[in-house]
């Protein structure tokens, strides 16, 4: 059985879905502070319609040591896939306490529970934010790590902790450093659902006559003047986590970048959305945002060579799936609002 923390959120939910598709039983731990119970319900429904895998959900926090101990004693956990974290860069700057308390303290609590209960494998969701301002592009795993915000600092601190625990207690780990994640699963079980949306594609899709899409900066040293990023589909990303668990069965710990190895500019993503969906999105050109590097692109050769993984989903399919999910999301949000209204009137 696989323990997936944070699987009521965007990437964690897709990882849980991929494990289910691959025939594994899953137990989900999430405190629902940023995740959504509706996503858990959809994962459970999907599991029943797929292979009948066991999917259990426990509402709880990784900092709750008693809960963790009970969980590990109740289930025979083969590995932990750890997503549970706060991840808004701007918020981490204004409220670093939240990020060190949840991201770092929660992870240490989880690692302690693993050691106590003899669970030896962990796949950790890290980030390219640990690299900071790139010294060269594409960025490989040997690039210096100098985060420029508390979010990146918190993820790097967990990387150090996992490596130290591995050395001292015999844990095996796969640490993934993600680049920019987009898309949704084709079955529409899950997708992006953030109360504060900061990601590019959903913000383009949400633009309309009442909400214009703001393009920040057109004077970068790039092919068209806008920032270039490495956009990886969430299902490709999720598949890597299942492969990581299977890799750790016979191989040693390692750290791997997950990206396509290619880069698209903001203008290119904007055009891909308009062309794939045959729509016109209202646009406002603004000045640069502070701290936005011109280019962030992964060197993914290690993922291809060591894990035998590579991105498979086209940008057009990622965009179409993201757009289809936006329609599902509107229905889910409407149902939640009606339920809350009924509760208020009861």
């Amino acid at each position: 059985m696989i323990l997936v923390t944070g699987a009521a959120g965007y990437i964690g939910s897709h990882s849980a879905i991929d494990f289910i598709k691959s025939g594994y039983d899953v137990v989900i731990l999430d405190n629902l502070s940023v995740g959504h119970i509706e996503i858990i319900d959809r994962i459970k429904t999907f599991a029943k319609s797929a292979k009948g895998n066991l999917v259990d959900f426990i509402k709880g926090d990784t900092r709750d040591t008693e809960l963790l101990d009970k969980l590990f004693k109740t289930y025979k956990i083969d590995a932990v896939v750890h997503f549970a974290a706060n991840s808004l860069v701007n918020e981490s700057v204004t409220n670093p306490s939240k990020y060190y308390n949840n991201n770092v303290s929660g992870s240490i609590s989880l690692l302690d529970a693993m050691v106590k209960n003899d669970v030896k494998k962990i796949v950790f969701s890290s980030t390219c934010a640990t690299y900071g301002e790139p010294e060269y592009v594409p960025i490989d795993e040997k690039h210096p790590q100098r985060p420029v915000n508390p979010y990146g600092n918190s993820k790097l601190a967990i990387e150090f902790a996992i490596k130290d625990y591995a050395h001292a207690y015999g844990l095996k780990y796969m640490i993934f450093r993600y680049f920019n994640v987009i898309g949704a699963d084709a079955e529409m079980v899950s997708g992006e659902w953030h109360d504060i949306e900061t990601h590019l594609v959903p913000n383009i899709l949400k633009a309309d006559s009442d909400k214009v899409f703001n393009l920040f900066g057109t004077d970068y040293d790039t092919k068209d003047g806008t920032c270039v990023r490495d956009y990886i589909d969430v299902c490709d990303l999720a598949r890597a986590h299942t492969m990581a668990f299977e890799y750790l069965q016979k191989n040693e710990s390692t750290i791997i970048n997950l990206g396509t190895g290619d880069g698209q500019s903001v203008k290119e993503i904007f055009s891909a959305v308009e062309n794939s969906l045959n729509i016109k999105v209202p646009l406002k050109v603004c000045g640069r945002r502070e701290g936005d590097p011109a280019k962030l692109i992964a060197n993914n050769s290690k993922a291809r060579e060591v894990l035998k993984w590579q991105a498979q989903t086209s940008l057009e399919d990622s965009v179409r799936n993201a757009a289809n999910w936006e329609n599902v999301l509107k229905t889910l949000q409407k149902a939640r609002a009606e339920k809350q209204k009924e509760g208020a009137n009861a």
Side-chain angles (χ1 to χ4, degrees), residues 127-135 139-148 177 179 255-257 296:
T127 170
C128 66
T130 64
Y131 294 123
E133 293 288 338
E135 294 184 4
I139 300 169
D140 59 24
E141 291 82 0
K142 295 179 181 179
H143 188 286
Q145 290 179 282
R146 301 189 185 97
V148 295
R177 295 175 186 151
F179 284 67
I255 299 171
I256 289 179
N257 285 339
L296 288 175

Side-chain angles (χ1 to χ4, degrees), residues 45-78:
T45 300
F46 172 76
K48 289 179 182 178
S49 66
K51 298 182 179 180
N53 304 79
L54 173 66
V55 177
D56 279 354
F57 169 61
I58 297 170
K59 183 180 179 181
D61 197 290
T62 54
R63 291 165 290 187
D64 187 337
T65 55
E66 290 184 8
L67 175 67
L68 287 177
D69 196 45
K70 182 180 179 181
L71 187 158
F72 280 110
K73 285 179 167 52
T74 301
Y75 298 94
K76 188 180 184 306
I77 303 297
D78 297 299

